[in-house]
């Protein structure tokens, strides 16, 4: 299923900002809010995983039902998960298309990756020193 | 110990009425702040990096401040095109030192503005900014519009301190006397309390703004029955509400700046406000996210003439968003060293940009372990401004506020660290 990919703030994402190594931040940013009808079309239950494929790559997210999200669009809190699929082009404005890329959605059984795994996949080195 | 009238260093509201209770070096209670602010203040002491860290043959090791500062100055001096990025969650004083250093290095300095309200600034440069202070809004505005933003989640006290729920000097019953219009692509909690909730089809903001402008101009005849999913009846109602208001205040968020049309959307919003000013008083304010991202625009502008994305490689300040902005520079793999200060591109930049950050020597100055930490070669922890460091920050309406310090955890401030790096750079470039 194709959908318009929208990103933005949520208060849970905002609360996680100061402690991104903690599980709350991962939970807050790895969700994909979808209209209940779209969720049904994909034969997904809330809490199951969805593979989102965008212009820059793919990422696995947890599907969350949200009546406010119009059909044909998904809302993902800003963060490393959303950015895994967004292209870096800015059309000469400096601003990437955080709110207007088209993605493909399909159900998956794979697990959501940890933020550190996402960073390692692009050449980073996880720092585990201060995770309590 | 109780600290009164403290400033919240989280979002652009910069609430200045916090009461913070500390016991020793711990924050035990925060009153008046919203969930975002109190979460930050309650936790920012706990998740600090203890000392600088450096990456050494595939592992992290602790380092001293001297070593980390030396290393940072070294990679910046060695680079042909260093990028100095971030500057939103730090003091104006640190931002100033950053600009001086970028100039001396012939590098590029950009703030997180380029991925939040950069487009708003581009629009303001085209058609001006009909702004005012939040105090004016609080005391006078009888109509509030929130367009493409969600203050309930991102600026939780904006409505209670300055708009819908705030008592105003010229309003008898502020809550009843103020009308609220919300424009968004999805129905959020903020939308459910509005007098008018306008649900725009994604990407349709420009068309809706144009339709409203036409109506305000007296040309409703050119407006079709629906515009980007919004009915003409609703548009007529909303335009009438705006014209009837004594003082209207439009706030907008990244829903306008990040959507198709980007700065042209904001330009259209400013021109709508301009149109409305033929009938009544109307103002417009971007809802700024980080508590001092506005400050980075102010400081960069006094020092260089440009608000963000300033490139010194030509020995003069050069500004061209889309070319000299951080995302573009990283996507083109153009910079050969990066200093990231008080921001987290690891969480907020497209993946392609991060890949380049991992390929070049990158240093992060940030109190906490963030998403950027795994991508850098060295991280230098500093004090949190508004907690264990004082400094200047600019509220979203451009009012500078002295952010106070109420704890001492022994960390140096961003200004101290950047000044030390700058001194090392100066020794080599201007002995
Ligand atoms: S609204 Fe913003 S500044 Fe005010 S308490 Fe909340 S996070 Fe802090």
């Amino acid at each position: 299923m194709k959908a318009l990919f929208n990103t933005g703030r949520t208060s849970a994402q905002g609360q996680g900002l100061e402690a991104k190594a903690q599980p709350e931040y991962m939970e807050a940013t790895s969700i994909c809010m979808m209209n209940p009808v779209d969720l049904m079309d994909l034969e997904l239950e809330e809490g199951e995983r969805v593979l989102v494929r965008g212009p820059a790559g793919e990422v696995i997210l947890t599907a969350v039902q949200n009546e406010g999200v119009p059909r044909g669009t998904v809302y993902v809190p800003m963060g490393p998960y959303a950015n895994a699929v967004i292209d870096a082009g800015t059309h000469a404005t400096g601003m990437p298309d955080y709110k207007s890329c088209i993605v493909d959605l399909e159900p998956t059984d794979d697990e959501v990756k940890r933020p550190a795994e996402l960073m390692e996949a692009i050449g980073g080195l996880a720092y585990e020193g201060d995770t309590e | 110990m109780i600290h009164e009238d403290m400033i919240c260093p989280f979002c652009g509201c910069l609430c200045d009425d916090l009461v913070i209770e500390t016991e020793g070096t711990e924050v035990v209670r925060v009153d008046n702040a919203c969930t975002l602010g109190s979460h930050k203040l309650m936790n920012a002491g706990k998740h600090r990096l203890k000392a600088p860290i450096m990456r050494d043959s595939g592992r992290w090791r602790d380092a001293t401040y001297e070593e980390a500062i030396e290393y940072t100055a070294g990679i910046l001096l060695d680079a042909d095109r260093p990028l100095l990025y971030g500057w939103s969650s730090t003091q104006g004083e640190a931002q100033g030192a950053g600009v001086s250093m970028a100039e001396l290095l012939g590098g590029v300095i950009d703030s997180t503005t380029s991925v939040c309200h950069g487009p708003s600034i581009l629009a303001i440069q085209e058609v001006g900014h009909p702004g005012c202070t939040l105090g004016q809004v609080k005391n006078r505005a009888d109509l509030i519009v929130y367009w493409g933003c969600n203050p309930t989640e991102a600026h939780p006290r904006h409505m209670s301190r300055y708009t819908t729920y705030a008592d105003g000097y010229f309003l008898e019953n502020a809550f009843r006397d103020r009308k609220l219009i919300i424009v968004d692509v999805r129905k959020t909690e903020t939308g459910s309390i509005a007098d008018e909730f306008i649900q725009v089809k994604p990407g349709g903001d420009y068309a809706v703004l144009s339709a409203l402008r036409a109506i305000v101009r007296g040309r409703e005849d050119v407006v079709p029955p629906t515009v980007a999913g919004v009915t003409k009846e609703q548009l007529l109602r909303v335009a009438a509400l705006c014209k009837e208001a004594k003082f209207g205040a439009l706030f907008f968020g990244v829903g306008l700046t990040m959507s198709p049309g980007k700065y042209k959307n904001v330009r259209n919003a400013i021109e709508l406000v301009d149109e409305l000013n033929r009938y009544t008083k109307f103002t417009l304010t971007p809802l700024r996210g980080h508590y001092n991202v506005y400050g980075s625009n102010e400081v960069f502008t006094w020092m260089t003439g440009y608000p963000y994305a300033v490139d010194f490689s030509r020995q003069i300040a050069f500004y061209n968003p889309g070319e000299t902005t951080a995302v573009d520079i990283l996507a083109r793999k153009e910079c050969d060293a990066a200093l990231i200060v008080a921001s987290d591109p690891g969480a907020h930049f497209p993946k392609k940009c991060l890949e380049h950050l991992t390929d070049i020597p990158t240093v992060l100055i940030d109190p906490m372990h963030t998403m950027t930490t795994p991508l850098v070669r060295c991280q230098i922890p500093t004090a949190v401004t508004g907690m264990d460091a004082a400094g200047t920050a600019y509220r979203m309406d451009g009012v500078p506020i002295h952010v106070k310090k109420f704890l001492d955890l022994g960390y140096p401030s961003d200004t101290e660290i950047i000044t030390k790096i700058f001194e090392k750079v100066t020794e080599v470039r201007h002995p």
Side-chain angles (χ1 to χ4, degrees), chain A residues 9, chain B residues 7-8 10-15 36 88 116-117 120-121 124 129-135 137 144-146 149-152 154-159 161-163 249-253 283-298 393-401:
Chain A
R9 288 178 199 279
Chain B
I7 322 288
C8 172
F10 189 95
C11 82
C13 289
L14 274 175
C15 296
L36 299 176
S88 291
C116 66
H117 278 284
S120 312
I121 293 178
I124 287 168
H129 182 196
C132 71
T133 63
L134 291 172
V137 172
I144 306 290
V145 186
Y146 284 109
C149 54
N150 188 4
T152 334
H155 300 84
R157 293 184 74 207
H158 196 266
M159 297 175 101
R161 270 176 59 93
Y162 306 116
T163 67
L250 186 150
F251 294 93
F252 67 97
T283 67
L284 165 141
T285 309
L287 278 173
R288 306 300 301 263
H290 291 280
Y291 75 90
N292 196 24
V293 60
Y294 196 116
S296 71
N297 305 137
E298 288 283 328
Y394 282 74
R395 201 165 68 184
M396 62 170 74
D397 54 350
V399 173
I401 290 177

Side-chain angles (χ1 to χ4, degrees), chain B residues 190-265:
Chain B
T190 321
S192 57
I193 54 161
D195 294 284
E196 289 284 348
F197 170 66
I198 308 180
Q199 186 157 11
V200 181
K201 284 215 177 106
D205 302 277
Y206 190 89
V208 174
L209 286 162
S210 298
L212 285 172
R213 280 177 69 190
I215 296 170
V216 173
R217 274 254 170 150
R219 289 300 310 272
E220 60 176 83
D221 56 307
V222 301
V223 176
T226 59
V227 180
V230 187
T231 63
K232 183 169 180 178
E233 290 78 70
Q234 186 175 30
L235 291 170
L236 290 170
R237 268 199 323 271
V238 167
L241 268 180
C242 290
K243 280 164 68 176
E244 281 157 18
K246 291 201 196 71
F247 187 120
L250 186 150
F251 294 93
F252 67 97
V254 294
L256 275 189
T257 67
M258 288 178 177
S259 297
K262 303 210 172 106
Y263 73 99
K264 291 297 183 191
N265 296 334

Side-chain angles (χ1 to χ4, degrees), chain B residues 58-136:
Chain B
R59 296 195 41 213
W60 286 106
R61 67 166 173 86
D62 288 341
T64 62
Y65 276 95
E66 288 66 43
E67 189 186 4
I69 288 166
E70 188 79 41
Y71 174 77
T72 310
I75 61 149
L76 292 174
L77 282 163
D78 283 345
D80 290 324
R81 192 161 172 73
L83 170 68
L84 283 64
Y85 175 78
W87 312 101
S88 291
S89 296
T90 186
Q91 312 146 302
E93 293 76 1
Q95 295 164 345
V99 173
S100 303
M101 185 154 76
E103 183 176 14
L104 189 58
L105 287 163
V108 181
I109 186 161
D110 190 17
S111 76
T112 61
T113 304
S114 56
V115 292
C116 66
H117 278 284
S120 312
I121 293 178
L122 294 179
I124 287 168
Q125 286 170 330
E126 284 191 354
V127 285
H129 182 196
C132 71
T133 63
L134 291 172
Q136 294 281 358

